[in-house]
Amino acid sequence: MFGLRLAEGAELRPLEPWSAGEFAAHVDRVRGDLLPWIPFAKTVVDEESARAYLQGYAERQAAGGGRIFGIWIDGELSGGTLFREFDAEAGVCEVGVWMGAAGRGRGLVTRAVRHMIDWAVRTRGIARVEWRCDPGNERSAAAARRLGFTLEATLRSAYVLDGRRRDVQVWALLAEEWPA
Ligand SMILES: CC(C)(COP(=O)(O)OP(=O)(O)OC[C@H]1O[C@@H](n2cnc3c(N)ncnc32)[C@H](O)[C@@H]1OP(=O)(O)O)[C@@H](O)C(=O)NCCC(=O)NCCS
C-alpha cells in the first residue's frame, strides 16, 4: 500500500487485515510498553485475534467510520494511529495513538496525527477532534497538548481496564483552532 513519509526511515501506512501476522508480532514485541494504557495489548494475542481486530477497522472504514494506520521505522512496524471513532455527519472524530518504547521521543506520532487532523478537518469537514487518555498517562497528555488539544473534562469511572474502573480525560481540538 502507499505510504506517507514521516521522517528519514519512518512511514505511515494503512494497517489492513492482510498484515495480521505482522501486527500480531508487533504487539508481542511492544506488549509490555502498552499494557497499562491500550486495551488491544491484552486482546491481540495471536494472528487470529490480530486479524479480527484489523477486520473490525476495515469494516468500519468501509462504512465511513474508524480507520487504523501503522508507523514503520526502518521497515519494522513500531506503532500506529487510529480514528477510534469517525462520524462525518456529526463532524466529530476521535484519534488514538500508540508507539513501542524504542520508537518514542522522535515526534513520529505527533507528525502522523497532524496528517490525520489535516485530512479530517480540511478534506472531511470534521469540526471537533477528540483525544481521550488516562489522567496518569503523561506522555499521551503531552502529545495531545503539543498538538494543540485543550483538556475539557475528566469523566469519572468511565470504563474498566484490568478489572478496575478508570477515569478518562477528554481533550478536544476544534477545526477553527487548527492552523492553516
Ligand atoms: C503516547 C505515545 C504514543 C507518545 O509517544 P511519543 O514518542 O512521546 O510522542 P511524539 O511522537 O509526540 O514524540 C514526542 C517526543 O519527541 C520529541 N520530538 C522530536 N522531534 C519532534 C518533532 N518534530 N515534533 C514533535 N516532537 C518531537 C519531543 O520533544 C518529545 O520528546 P520527549 O519524549 O523528550 O518529551 C507513547 O508514549 C505511547 O505509545 N504510550 C503508550 C500507549 C498510549 O498511552 N497511547 C495513548 C493512549 S490515550
Side-chain angles (χ1 to χ4, degrees):
M1 197 26 183
F2 304 106
L4 192 68
R5 185 182 176 279
L6 296 173
E8 182 67 36
E11 214 178 33
L12 181 74
R13 297 205 295 263
L15 190 49
E16 297 172 349
W18 63 268
S19 298
E22 191 179 8
F23 182 52
H26 160 67
V27 177
D28 262 351
R29 280 195 302 276
V30 301
R31 194 180 310 282
D33 306 333
L34 306 183
L35 268 175
W37 318 116
I38 301 283
F40 77 59
K42 260 201 163 354
T43 56
V44 171
V45 291
D46 54 19
E47 189 166 340
E48 192 185 338
S49 48
R51 182 167 291 105
Y53 185 79
L54 297 180
Q55 188 65 37
Y57 272 95
E59 287 167 16
R60 270 179 272 168
Q61 175 167 339
R67 288 159 187 258
I68 188 164
F69 305 91
I71 296 175
W72 278 260
I73 303 176
D74 297 328
E76 183 170 277
L77 182 57
S78 302
T81 60
L82 36 88
F83 284 115
R84 284 194 63 226
E85 306 289 344
F86 196 97
D87 185 338
E89 206 173 319
V92 178
C93 69
E94 182 193 336
V95 170
V97 298
W98 81 95
M99 178 57 78
R104 293 180 194 165
R106 296 175 53 183
L108 297 176
V109 164
T110 294
R111 268 175 249 175
V113 174
R114 282 208 183 104
H115 286 295
M116 293 168 70
I117 297 174
D118 266 344
W119 179 79
V121 167
R122 302 216 166 100
T123 305
R124 302 299 310 279
I126 289 287
R128 173 184 167 86
V129 183
E130 293 189 351
W131 178 294
R132 290 173 183 244
C133 68
D134 187 291
N137 194 343
E138 289 172 15
R139 289 196 78 100
S140 179
R145 198 176 294 110
R146 192 178 295 122
L147 282 156
F149 284 75
T150 298
L151 176 58
E152 292 185 334
T154 301
L155 310 183
R156 297 170 302 158
S157 200
Y159 74 110
V160 177
L161 184 65
D162 285 338
R164 191 161 68 77
R165 297 210 65 86
R166 314 283 180 132
D167 296 350
V168 65
Q169 286 182 345
V170 180
W171 296 70
L173 181 143
L174 305 185
E176 59 266 30
E177 295 163 352
W178 189 239

